[in-house]
Amino acid sequence: TLVDFFFFNERYFNALVTNCQHLLRYLVAALVLTAKRRRPLLHELTRVCAQEAANYSDPLTRFLVALNADSDFDAALLELGKCEAAMAQDFFLQQHASAFILAAKGLVFESYCKIHRRIDVGAVAAKLGMGLDDAERWIVHLVRDANLDARIDSTENHVVLSSTSTSVYQKVIEKTKGVQFRSAVLANTLEQRANEVAAKAAAAIPAA
């Protein structure tokens, strides 16, 4: 896949960051659409987008940085509103625009839940541009799908999340979530170097 091609090959990834920063938007789109399976890579890509912001940015990369690096939900939603128009003009992304917007809204809600224990469904609906009933159904589905410890208070129309503290185990997972990615890149690089050395050694042997 596009993600594996760039992320797990150091040479290609360095070439992308150095000479083809415009391709970052496609990595953002791919990772947002597959965030459940590739969350560690999403955080790594956020770091790269923030680092390269002075050289290149677009609504997709700015959305990712605002959400994951800055925790600025208003800025993230503002950029998300621009993403739809930007993707509509991109031949490769236009057919995925609706799915991207929906997945991105899910990421915004999950991040919002991490720092709030009581969330007004009406406020969520207004911020995400959804009707109240649609927002409630969407939140119920998202809470179940993301395994969030939460319930909906129908009386006050709030989402109430548990106040349990993060376990030590979970903190360790959060701190080391990028290790697998970096290890894979290192292993891939070492394998490439070993193959190059073997090829040069074979070429140096005179033919019988």
Side-chain angles (χ1 to χ4, degrees):
T1 65
L2 176 70
V3 173
D4 295 329
F5 181 77
F6 282 110
F7 264 99
F8 294 104
N9 190 305
E10 186 182 29
R11 287 184 176 179
Y12 293 143
F13 189 73
N14 288 339
L16 182 151
V17 172
T18 304
N19 302 309
C20 311
Q21 294 99 335
H22 64 281
L23 294 179
L24 286 171
R25 64 156 48 188
Y26 299 105
L27 287 180
V28 172
L31 287 180
V32 168
L33 288 167
T34 59
K36 293 177 186 176
R37 295 182 285 111
R38 301 179 182 273
R39 197 167 296 275
L41 296 186
L42 196 62
H43 288 277
E44 188 70 20
L45 183 57
T46 299
R47 181 187 64 78
V48 174
C49 288
Q51 180 179 303
E52 296 299 319
N55 300 317
Y56 175 82
S57 71
D58 62 33
L60 281 78
T61 62
R62 290 195 295 270
F63 162 76
L64 197 63
V65 172
L67 180 62
N68 289 337
D70 302 334
S71 295
D72 188 336
F73 299 107
D74 289 334
L77 290 172
L78 179 63
E79 294 299 337
L80 186 58
K82 300 175 183 178
C83 285
E84 192 166 10
M87 295 178 77
Q89 298 175 6
D90 190 305
F91 176 79
F92 299 104
L93 295 178
Q94 55 185 328
Q95 61 182 321
H96 304 292
S98 297
F100 175 88
I101 297 300
L102 189 62
K105 287 179 178 180
L107 291 177
V108 172
F109 182 74
E110 286 184 38
S111 297
Y112 196 76
C113 287
K114 291 179 180 178
I115 59 175
H116 294 84
R117 294 304 173 194
R118 195 174 189 86
I119 302 170
D120 186 340
V121 175
V124 172
K127 282 186 174 293
L128 298 182
M130 303 171 73
L132 190 60
D133 292 338
D134 290 338
E136 186 170 340
R137 284 193 295 270
W138 179 75
I139 288 172
V140 168
H141 176 75
L142 189 63
V143 165
R144 182 179 63 248
D145 205 36
N147 292 320
L148 297 174
D149 188 1
R151 62 182 178 83
I152 293 184
D153 184 342
S154 300
T155 304
E156 297 187 11
N157 214 25
H158 283 176
V159 178
V160 182
L161 293 102
S162 67
S163 58
T164 54
S165 59
T166 305
S167 67
V168 174
Y169 173 76
Q170 186 60 36
K171 289 179 181 178
V172 171
I173 293 295
E174 290 293 322
K175 291 289 185 182
T176 59
K177 61 175 57 177
V179 171
Q180 183 180 5
F181 161 72
R182 295 186 182 93
S183 298
V185 171
L186 179 59
N188 187 275
T189 301
L190 291 174
E191 183 180 359
Q192 287 181 350
R193 298 284 166 81
N195 290 338
E196 289 174 2
V197 171
K200 288 180 180 179
I205 299 175

